[in-house]
Amino acid sequence: MATAAELVGWYDLSWKGGAFEICFRPGGYFFCPRFQAPARWELEGDVVRIDWAKFGKYEMQVSADKSMEGNAIPKNTEDESNWRKAAFKRPLSQEEMVLIGDGAGTEWDFAWTGGSFPVQFKADGYNHFKCEDFPAHAHWSLEGTTLRIDWGEYGNYELKINAPEQTMAGGPIGGDWDKDWRKAKLLRNLVDSKVVEFCEHH
């Protein structure tokens, strides 16, 4: 029987309407790029339970190969859109792990030519990016080793993550990174408060 730690990773979730990617993150955080919500997951025995906020609740039985089969709650065998299946796709990358930490996210020392300040990469259902010194409704996304920060009124940035060294470097998208650079180094993993944070912007 798989443990919760062994189930962490990316899956293809299928239902009557098609298939899309979902992610079981450490610490019971559930993420779906296409249908974002403050969601959680848990493993009880060999059954995964998902609380997907406005997108509903689900339960699926886990097989030895980490594939899952189940349904939306309440179960309704007469409803042909009630079933759900999940197939394991890939584990979290080193870059994802260094950003997600223990599950809640991480705090970094973010530097530029004018100094440095702490920022947080939240591993909530929206991938929020938080900076108390320069507050904005901001998000982060990751593709391979490239981190993108959409920082609202403060602009958009790309940085390359060096996972083994727990650092990143880059700058504003379209800018001259030799003169206008950004760098960051990991400070700490955020503590899981067990509280699902809602966002008025979503």
Side-chain angles (χ1 to χ4, degrees), residues 26-150:
Y29 286 86
F30 179 86
F31 179 68
C32 175
R34 189 169 166 186
F35 301 104
Q36 296 187 11
R40 304 287 298 217
W41 72 278
E42 63 179 356
L43 177 66
E44 292 186 7
D46 61 351
V47 175
V48 163
R49 291 186 169 86
I50 302 168
D51 185 347
W52 204 336
K54 64 182 178 181
F55 297 113
K57 295 184 178 182
Y58 305 85
E59 59 183 12
M60 295 185 291
Q61 190 159 9
V62 183
S63 298
D65 62 355
K66 295 197 281 193
S67 64
M68 305 177 193
E69 190 167 344
N71 52 270
I73 299 174
K75 185 175 183 178
N76 183 357
T77 55
E78 296 180 359
D79 181 358
E80 59 183 17
S81 65
N82 185 252
W83 62 270
R84 296 293 186 277
K85 292 182 179 180
F88 182 74
K89 197 170 185 180
R90 64 183 184 276
L92 296 181
S93 68
Q94 284 187 302
E95 292 75 23
E96 286 175 303
M97 290 302 296
V98 80
L99 285 173
I100 292 172
D102 298 321
T106 51
E107 184 170 276
W108 297 63
D109 182 52
F110 197 79
W112 66 305
T113 54
S116 68
F117 44 85
V119 301
Q120 293 182 351
F121 295 94
K122 308 277 281 186
D124 55 13
Y126 305 109
N127 282 358
H128 279 124
F129 174 79
K130 184 178 179 181
C131 176
E132 293 187 358
D133 288 30
F134 300 97
H137 183 229
H139 300 86
W140 64 271
S141 59
L142 184 66
E143 187 170 338
T145 61
T146 301
L147 171 72
R148 181 185 171 107
I149 302 170
D150 295 318

Side-chain angles (χ1 to χ4, degrees), residues 158-162 167-171 177 182-184:
E158 277 189 1
L159 298 97
K160 289 283 188 182
I161 296 177
N162 185 323
T167 60
M168 60 178 75
W177 294 358
R182 300 292 187 279
K183 295 179 181 179

